[in-house]
Amino acid sequence: QLQLVESGGGLVQPGGSLKLSCVVSGVTLDNANIGWFRRAPGKERDEGVSCINSANDRPWYAVPVKGRFTISRDNSKNTVYLQMNSLKPDDAGVYSCAAAGPMSDCHTAAYAVWGQGTEVSVSS
């Protein structure tokens, strides 16, 4: 059974950093695109933050996080990471990782299985 478990959220001051982890079980990272999504406080929809393509490790980033966030994966641990630097209050929200099939670009893939999320707060 495919499962994703996030960790690493917390409270950080503006300008600080956090590293989120998404441990994937039930499928290897070579066979799944993994994306990170954010649901901001008061919003009803998740927005894509970043994803990584299973076939070639090519990452995608949403414009607001380019240059500040880095997605990576460790196949030996079946884990995808999201390093978040220079955090801003607008980055706050519940961050979830999700899995999609490997056959399409991760940015346009259909994500069918989601983790429970980890909360990120950015405040002084």
Side-chain angles (χ1 to χ4, degrees), residues 43-73:
K43 301 292 186 181
E44 295 185 354
R45 297 187 66 179
D46 296 284
E47 60 177 343
V49 174
S50 179
C51 63
I52 188 164
N53 284 282
S54 62
N56 54 22
D57 262 358
R58 189 178 72 244
W60 170 87
Y61 299 98
V63 170
V65 308
K66 272 185 178 178
R68 300 187 296 121
F69 290 11
T70 303
I71 192 170
S72 62
R73 66 179 186 178

Side-chain angles (χ1 to χ4, degrees), residues 4-9 18-24 34 36 72 77-84 95-97 116-118:
L4 302 95
V5 178
E6 305 93 336
S7 64
L18 283 174
K19 186 174 184 177
L20 306 183
S21 299
C22 173
V23 178
V24 181
I34 303 296
W36 282 100
S72 62
K77 297 180 179 180
N78 229 40
T79 299
V80 176
Y81 303 98
L82 185 67
Q83 176 68 47
M84 307 187 296
Y95 283 71
S96 301
C97 59
Q116 83 287 350
T118 185

Side-chain angles (χ1 to χ4, degrees), residues 19-39:
K19 186 174 184 177
L20 306 183
S21 299
C22 173
V23 178
V24 181
S25 59
V27 69
T28 62
L29 295 183
D30 287 344
N31 290 297
N33 287 328
I34 303 296
W36 282 100
F37 297 82
R38 172 174 69 208
R39 182 170 297 190

